[in-house]
Amino acid sequence: MKFQLSSSAISVWAWASLVACLPSPQPSRPPGYLVIALESSPAHIDPRYATDANSARIASLVFNSLVRTDEHSRFRPELAESWQPLDETTYLFHLKKGVAFHDGRPLTSEDVRFTYQSVLDPKNRSHWRGPLQLLKAVEPIGPYEIRFRLSTPYAPFLENCTLGIVPAGTPVYAAAQKNGLIGSGPFSLEEFSPGERIVLKAHSSYWEGRPSISGLVFKIIPDAIVRSLEFKKGTVDFIQNEVEPDMLPWFEKNTDASIATRQGTIFQYIGMNLDHPVLKVREVRQAIAYAIDRELIIRHLLKGLATPATGLLSPSHWAYEPSVARFPHDPEQAKRLLDDAGFPDPDGDGPLPRFKLSYKTTTLDLRRRIAEALKEQLGRVGIELEVRAYEWGTFYGDVKKGNFHLYSLSWVGIADPDIYLNLFHSNSISPNGNNRGRYRNPEIDRLLEKGRKSLDLEERRRIYSGVQKILAFDLPTIPLWWAKNVVVMKRNIKGFVPYPDGDLISLKNISFTPAHPSS
């Protein structure tokens, strides 16, 4: 297979030309602020609507939640001083005292109640409403105690306590308003310019102690080459997972970057619209899986910075099931499946396809090259793939609306396997959840409902083993790989701890001595 030359292979004169065209450093960079490059703009900073990775990561710096996962994916108290189950369906949380929002208002149980109720309100159309559907009541008991009542036993309840808390009365989409969104986290939202940048200011009265840096600037730079060159010029200080894999040698040779690589849990997959008359046929989905050469894409395009995935849960997860159906690269088996499914090749090895599908992706260079690799691989088994590239906002909007045949995205922040209910239960079809492919399977529904009610860990392990086996064979989504986390940062940044899911919360603990951008 032939692959297009990557950005890092551009000749020296082309690099010089790009440097000459690069915008001058923004004079508005506030003193003492760390600049972080992002390839796509967050859709929503409001934690009640933050479903894309960048939105969730930035929101976690602005808002606190009752509990939070640490760098080992373990639940730790944050706003909660402690919690206790009163019975199988009732939990009592004791809130920490002395926590205030960025405007000075104390955070109380009423703010917690309001946040959860606004997510549960159908008219607000929050995608987190689905995961919270078993929440029957949220009842303040005084200013610093709150009781959660569930309609049935719910083992992964703590995962739903990671929702960022907003002040009571906060309207939906408040980031678009003059005063923006207010949280209680280590940073306050100072500026939100979609498609350009997000500026967070260190909260001087943060209840855990003021961050040592003055603030953060998240700069939206869609082009990978420009991100790299701005890092070299000193106008960007930090990049995580948004570096072209084959440009890492360039960073090592041409910059003072500190580069760290760790295996992560971010799961890349191909999503499919199962209402499509072709994609609703399981044998077609299996044929597509056989047609894809993951190893080749990982080796040539990702430069080894990923591991082939068997499903959503990585091997480090307690519920991971290794004994599932696998679909190694096998074009001949893909052809046989398509023939048996009633989609014969009309002209053998000729140019006519068995059928045509569209594949949506973003305009980012690496995503386009992956799309072209997929197009070539599927073309070899007689499937014509039309690649359609869009800027992030349009692409993600289409995915959420179900306006696609095929697309690829990653899923981050996987803690409890109950996430399968949000992704694959028939009641979680968008907008009630993130079942964007409109997958329906009564046995999966039954197992997922049973899995969330069982409080026995070993029983849950058996249940989710069954879930993984069914999904691996049925393929409502096609697993691609688990990405490795790559952090490229200036050597004067100290104290950053990478998280397996790419969370950026440890930015609150870093020390940073800004350097003047080079000319």
PDB file of all heavy atoms in Angstrom, residues 278-298:
ATOM      1  N   VAL A 278     -27.559  -1.037   3.863  1.00  0.00           N
ATOM      2  CA  VAL A 278     -26.399  -1.915   3.711  1.00  0.00           C
ATOM      3  C   VAL A 278     -25.741  -2.182   5.065  1.00  0.00           C
ATOM      4  O   VAL A 278     -25.442  -3.329   5.424  1.00  0.00           O
ATOM      5  CB  VAL A 278     -25.380  -1.305   2.725  1.00  0.00           C
ATOM      6  CG1 VAL A 278     -24.094  -2.123   2.710  1.00  0.00           C
ATOM      7  CG2 VAL A 278     -25.967  -1.232   1.317  1.00  0.00           C
ATOM      8  N   LEU A 279     -25.541  -1.124   5.846  1.00  0.00           N
ATOM      9  CA  LEU A 279     -24.820  -1.264   7.105  1.00  0.00           C
ATOM     10  C   LEU A 279     -25.627  -1.983   8.181  1.00  0.00           C
ATOM     11  O   LEU A 279     -25.055  -2.437   9.176  1.00  0.00           O
ATOM     12  CB  LEU A 279     -24.384   0.114   7.603  1.00  0.00           C
ATOM     13  CG  LEU A 279     -23.354   0.821   6.719  1.00  0.00           C
ATOM     14  CD1 LEU A 279     -23.135   2.256   7.197  1.00  0.00           C
ATOM     15  CD2 LEU A 279     -22.028   0.060   6.727  1.00  0.00           C
ATOM     16  N   LYS A 280     -26.928  -2.102   8.001  1.00  0.00           N
ATOM     17  CA  LYS A 280     -27.714  -2.850   8.983  1.00  0.00           C
ATOM     18  C   LYS A 280     -27.452  -4.352   8.896  1.00  0.00           C
ATOM     19  O   LYS A 280     -27.826  -5.105   9.798  1.00  0.00           O
ATOM     20  CB  LYS A 280     -29.198  -2.557   8.813  1.00  0.00           C
ATOM     21  CG  LYS A 280     -29.828  -3.137   7.556  1.00  0.00           C
ATOM     22  CD  LYS A 280     -31.306  -2.799   7.494  1.00  0.00           C
ATOM     23  CE  LYS A 280     -31.960  -3.403   6.254  1.00  0.00           C
ATOM     24  NZ  LYS A 280     -33.395  -3.047   6.189  1.00  0.00           N
ATOM     25  N   VAL A 281     -26.782  -4.803   7.843  1.00  0.00           N
ATOM     26  CA  VAL A 281     -26.447  -6.214   7.668  1.00  0.00           C
ATOM     27  C   VAL A 281     -25.136  -6.503   8.407  1.00  0.00           C
ATOM     28  O   VAL A 281     -24.089  -5.940   8.074  1.00  0.00           O
ATOM     29  CB  VAL A 281     -26.312  -6.569   6.174  1.00  0.00           C
ATOM     30  CG1 VAL A 281     -25.974  -8.047   6.002  1.00  0.00           C
ATOM     31  CG2 VAL A 281     -27.600  -6.208   5.423  1.00  0.00           C
ATOM     32  N   ARG A 282     -25.190  -7.395   9.386  1.00  0.00           N
ATOM     33  CA  ARG A 282     -24.019  -7.659  10.215  1.00  0.00           C
ATOM     34  C   ARG A 282     -22.832  -8.155   9.405  1.00  0.00           C
ATOM     35  O   ARG A 282     -21.674  -7.779   9.659  1.00  0.00           O
ATOM     36  CB  ARG A 282     -24.361  -8.684  11.292  1.00  0.00           C
ATOM     37  CG  ARG A 282     -23.181  -8.999  12.218  1.00  0.00           C
ATOM     38  CD  ARG A 282     -23.606  -9.922  13.340  1.00  0.00           C
ATOM     39  NE  ARG A 282     -24.156 -11.162  12.822  1.00  0.00           N
ATOM     40  CZ  ARG A 282     -25.028 -11.937  13.484  1.00  0.00           C
ATOM     41  NH1 ARG A 282     -25.446 -11.570  14.673  1.00  0.00           N
ATOM     42  NH2 ARG A 282     -25.467 -13.055  12.957  1.00  0.00           N
ATOM     43  N   GLU A 283     -23.082  -9.004   8.410  1.00  0.00           N
ATOM     44  CA  GLU A 283     -21.989  -9.540   7.602  1.00  0.00           C
ATOM     45  C   GLU A 283     -21.253  -8.443   6.853  1.00  0.00           C
ATOM     46  O   GLU A 283     -20.036  -8.555   6.610  1.00  0.00           O
ATOM     47  CB  GLU A 283     -22.508 -10.595   6.627  1.00  0.00           C
ATOM     48  CG  GLU A 283     -22.943 -11.897   7.258  1.00  0.00           C
ATOM     49  CD  GLU A 283     -24.307 -11.812   7.946  1.00  0.00           C
ATOM     50  OE1 GLU A 283     -25.025 -10.804   7.738  1.00  0.00           O
ATOM     51  OE2 GLU A 283     -24.664 -12.752   8.681  1.00  0.00           O
ATOM     52  N   VAL A 284     -21.946  -7.387   6.506  1.00  0.00           N
ATOM     53  CA  VAL A 284     -21.290  -6.244   5.856  1.00  0.00           C
ATOM     54  C   VAL A 284     -20.358  -5.553   6.847  1.00  0.00           C
ATOM     55  O   VAL A 284     -19.214  -5.217   6.518  1.00  0.00           O
ATOM     56  CB  VAL A 284     -22.330  -5.254   5.299  1.00  0.00           C
ATOM     57  CG1 VAL A 284     -21.652  -3.955   4.842  1.00  0.00           C
ATOM     58  CG2 VAL A 284     -23.104  -5.882   4.147  1.00  0.00           C
ATOM     59  N   ARG A 285     -20.836  -5.356   8.065  1.00  0.00           N
ATOM     60  CA  ARG A 285     -19.987  -4.714   9.080  1.00  0.00           C
ATOM     61  C   ARG A 285     -18.753  -5.566   9.365  1.00  0.00           C
ATOM     62  O   ARG A 285     -17.646  -5.043   9.528  1.00  0.00           O
ATOM     63  CB  ARG A 285     -20.803  -4.479  10.362  1.00  0.00           C
ATOM     64  CG  ARG A 285     -22.057  -3.641  10.141  1.00  0.00           C
ATOM     65  CD  ARG A 285     -22.639  -3.130  11.433  1.00  0.00           C
ATOM     66  NE  ARG A 285     -23.117  -4.163  12.329  1.00  0.00           N
ATOM     67  CZ  ARG A 285     -24.353  -4.660  12.319  1.00  0.00           C
ATOM     68  NH1 ARG A 285     -25.233  -4.235  11.412  1.00  0.00           N
ATOM     69  NH2 ARG A 285     -24.724  -5.586  13.198  1.00  0.00           N
ATOM     70  N   GLN A 286     -18.941  -6.886   9.427  1.00  0.00           N
ATOM     71  CA  GLN A 286     -17.802  -7.776   9.656  1.00  0.00           C
ATOM     72  C   GLN A 286     -16.832  -7.730   8.476  1.00  0.00           C
ATOM     73  O   GLN A 286     -15.612  -7.768   8.663  1.00  0.00           O
ATOM     74  CB  GLN A 286     -18.298  -9.203   9.894  1.00  0.00           C
ATOM     75  CG  GLN A 286     -19.070  -9.361  11.196  1.00  0.00           C
ATOM     76  CD  GLN A 286     -19.636 -10.759  11.378  1.00  0.00           C
ATOM     77  OE1 GLN A 286     -19.800 -11.511  10.408  1.00  0.00           O
ATOM     78  NE2 GLN A 286     -19.935 -11.134  12.618  1.00  0.00           N
ATOM     79  N   ALA A 287     -17.371  -7.643   7.265  1.00  0.00           N
ATOM     80  CA  ALA A 287     -16.512  -7.557   6.075  1.00  0.00           C
ATOM     81  C   ALA A 287     -15.673  -6.286   6.104  1.00  0.00           C
ATOM     82  O   ALA A 287     -14.480  -6.300   5.754  1.00  0.00           O
ATOM     83  CB  ALA A 287     -17.362  -7.609   4.813  1.00  0.00           C
ATOM     84  N   ILE A 288     -16.279  -5.181   6.509  1.00  0.00           N
ATOM     85  CA  ILE A 288     -15.527  -3.928   6.617  1.00  0.00           C
ATOM     86  C   ILE A 288     -14.401  -4.081   7.627  1.00  0.00           C
ATOM     87  O   ILE A 288     -13.270  -3.638   7.401  1.00  0.00           O
ATOM     88  CB  ILE A 288     -16.473  -2.771   7.004  1.00  0.00           C
ATOM     89  CG1 ILE A 288     -17.456  -2.480   5.858  1.00  0.00           C
ATOM     90  CG2 ILE A 288     -15.675  -1.514   7.347  1.00  0.00           C
ATOM     91  CD1 ILE A 288     -18.532  -1.465   6.210  1.00  0.00           C
ATOM     92  N   ALA A 289     -14.706  -4.761   8.749  1.00  0.00           N
ATOM     93  CA  ALA A 289     -13.675  -4.976   9.765  1.00  0.00           C
ATOM     94  C   ALA A 289     -12.528  -5.823   9.223  1.00  0.00           C
ATOM     95  O   ALA A 289     -11.356  -5.537   9.482  1.00  0.00           O
ATOM     96  CB  ALA A 289     -14.297  -5.639  10.992  1.00  0.00           C
ATOM     97  N   TYR A 290     -12.848  -6.863   8.465  1.00  0.00           N
ATOM     98  CA  TYR A 290     -11.797  -7.700   7.865  1.00  0.00           C
ATOM     99  C   TYR A 290     -10.991  -6.930   6.819  1.00  0.00           C
ATOM    100  O   TYR A 290      -9.796  -7.200   6.625  1.00  0.00           O
ATOM    101  CB  TYR A 290     -12.420  -8.920   7.192  1.00  0.00           C
ATOM    102  CG  TYR A 290     -12.651 -10.104   8.102  1.00  0.00           C
ATOM    103  CD1 TYR A 290     -13.927 -10.656   8.240  1.00  0.00           C
ATOM    104  CD2 TYR A 290     -11.600 -10.683   8.801  1.00  0.00           C
ATOM    105  CE1 TYR A 290     -14.148 -11.755   9.064  1.00  0.00           C
ATOM    106  CE2 TYR A 290     -11.816 -11.792   9.627  1.00  0.00           C
ATOM    107  CZ  TYR A 290     -13.093 -12.322   9.754  1.00  0.00           C
ATOM    108  OH  TYR A 290     -13.293 -13.410  10.561  1.00  0.00           O
ATOM    109  N   ALA A 291     -11.607  -5.984   6.156  1.00  0.00           N
ATOM    110  CA  ALA A 291     -10.931  -5.256   5.074  1.00  0.00           C
ATOM    111  C   ALA A 291      -9.908  -4.259   5.600  1.00  0.00           C
ATOM    112  O   ALA A 291      -8.975  -3.889   4.882  1.00  0.00           O
ATOM    113  CB  ALA A 291     -11.963  -4.529   4.212  1.00  0.00           C
ATOM    114  N   ILE A 292     -10.069  -3.824   6.852  1.00  0.00           N
ATOM    115  CA  ILE A 292      -9.191  -2.781   7.408  1.00  0.00           C
ATOM    116  C   ILE A 292      -7.901  -3.396   7.934  1.00  0.00           C
ATOM    117  O   ILE A 292      -7.933  -4.347   8.716  1.00  0.00           O
ATOM    118  CB  ILE A 292      -9.918  -2.008   8.522  1.00  0.00           C
ATOM    119  CG1 ILE A 292     -11.135  -1.275   7.953  1.00  0.00           C
ATOM    120  CG2 ILE A 292      -8.971  -1.015   9.193  1.00  0.00           C
ATOM    121  CD1 ILE A 292     -12.035  -0.668   9.008  1.00  0.00           C
ATOM    122  N   ASP A 293      -6.793  -2.851   7.520  1.00  0.00           N
ATOM    123  CA  ASP A 293      -5.484  -3.295   8.007  1.00  0.00           C
ATOM    124  C   ASP A 293      -5.023  -2.321   9.096  1.00  0.00           C
ATOM    125  O   ASP A 293      -4.316  -1.345   8.839  1.00  0.00           O
ATOM    126  CB  ASP A 293      -4.475  -3.338   6.860  1.00  0.00           C
ATOM    127  CG  ASP A 293      -3.188  -4.065   7.237  1.00  0.00           C
ATOM    128  OD1 ASP A 293      -2.922  -4.195   8.447  1.00  0.00           O
ATOM    129  OD2 ASP A 293      -2.458  -4.481   6.331  1.00  0.00           O
ATOM    130  N   ARG A 294      -5.429  -2.583  10.322  1.00  0.00           N
ATOM    131  CA  ARG A 294      -5.086  -1.698  11.440  1.00  0.00           C
ATOM    132  C   ARG A 294      -3.578  -1.632  11.664  1.00  0.00           C
ATOM    133  O   ARG A 294      -3.019  -0.574  11.933  1.00  0.00           O
ATOM    134  CB  ARG A 294      -5.763  -2.186  12.718  1.00  0.00           C
ATOM    135  CG  ARG A 294      -7.278  -2.166  12.674  1.00  0.00           C
ATOM    136  CD  ARG A 294      -7.841  -3.044  13.791  1.00  0.00           C
ATOM    137  NE  ARG A 294      -9.284  -3.179  13.691  1.00  0.00           N
ATOM    138  CZ  ARG A 294      -9.898  -3.959  12.796  1.00  0.00           C
ATOM    139  NH1 ARG A 294      -9.185  -4.652  11.920  1.00  0.00           N
ATOM    140  NH2 ARG A 294     -11.207  -4.040  12.763  1.00  0.00           N
ATOM    141  N   GLU A 295      -2.941  -2.812  11.594  1.00  0.00           N
ATOM    142  CA  GLU A 295      -1.498  -2.865  11.852  1.00  0.00           C
ATOM    143  C   GLU A 295      -0.735  -1.969  10.890  1.00  0.00           C
ATOM    144  O   GLU A 295       0.203  -1.263  11.280  1.00  0.00           O
ATOM    145  CB  GLU A 295      -0.998  -4.312  11.731  1.00  0.00           C
ATOM    146  CG  GLU A 295      -1.590  -5.273  12.754  1.00  0.00           C
ATOM    147  CD  GLU A 295      -0.865  -5.229  14.080  1.00  0.00           C
ATOM    148  OE1 GLU A 295       0.051  -4.399  14.239  1.00  0.00           O
ATOM    149  OE2 GLU A 295      -1.231  -6.029  14.972  1.00  0.00           O
ATOM    150  N   LEU A 296      -1.135  -1.971   9.628  1.00  0.00           N
ATOM    151  CA  LEU A 296      -0.441  -1.159   8.630  1.00  0.00           C
ATOM    152  C   LEU A 296      -0.643   0.330   8.897  1.00  0.00           C
ATOM    153  O   LEU A 296       0.297   1.126   8.802  1.00  0.00           O
ATOM    154  CB  LEU A 296      -0.938  -1.517   7.227  1.00  0.00           C
ATOM    155  CG  LEU A 296      -0.116  -0.959   6.062  1.00  0.00           C
ATOM    156  CD1 LEU A 296       1.281  -1.550   6.065  1.00  0.00           C
ATOM    157  CD2 LEU A 296      -0.803  -1.249   4.733  1.00  0.00           C
ATOM    158  N   ILE A 297      -1.871   0.712   9.236  1.00  0.00           N
ATOM    159  CA  ILE A 297      -2.151   2.116   9.529  1.00  0.00           C
ATOM    160  C   ILE A 297      -1.376   2.558  10.768  1.00  0.00           C
ATOM    161  O   ILE A 297      -0.781   3.647  10.799  1.00  0.00           O
ATOM    162  CB  ILE A 297      -3.665   2.341   9.717  1.00  0.00           C
ATOM    163  CG1 ILE A 297      -4.407   2.099   8.391  1.00  0.00           C
ATOM    164  CG2 ILE A 297      -3.940   3.757  10.224  1.00  0.00           C
ATOM    165  CD1 ILE A 297      -5.918   2.170   8.519  1.00  0.00           C
ATOM    166  N   ILE A 298      -1.371   1.716  11.805  1.00  0.00           N
ATOM    167  CA  ILE A 298      -0.636   2.059  13.022  1.00  0.00           C
ATOM    168  C   ILE A 298       0.858   2.195  12.730  1.00  0.00           C
ATOM    169  O   ILE A 298       1.524   3.110  13.205  1.00  0.00           O
ATOM    170  CB  ILE A 298      -0.890   1.002  14.115  1.00  0.00           C
ATOM    171  CG1 ILE A 298      -2.333   1.094  14.620  1.00  0.00           C
ATOM    172  CG2 ILE A 298       0.093   1.176  15.272  1.00  0.00           C
ATOM    173  CD1 ILE A 298      -2.736  -0.041  15.544  1.00  0.00           C
TER     174      ILE A 298
END
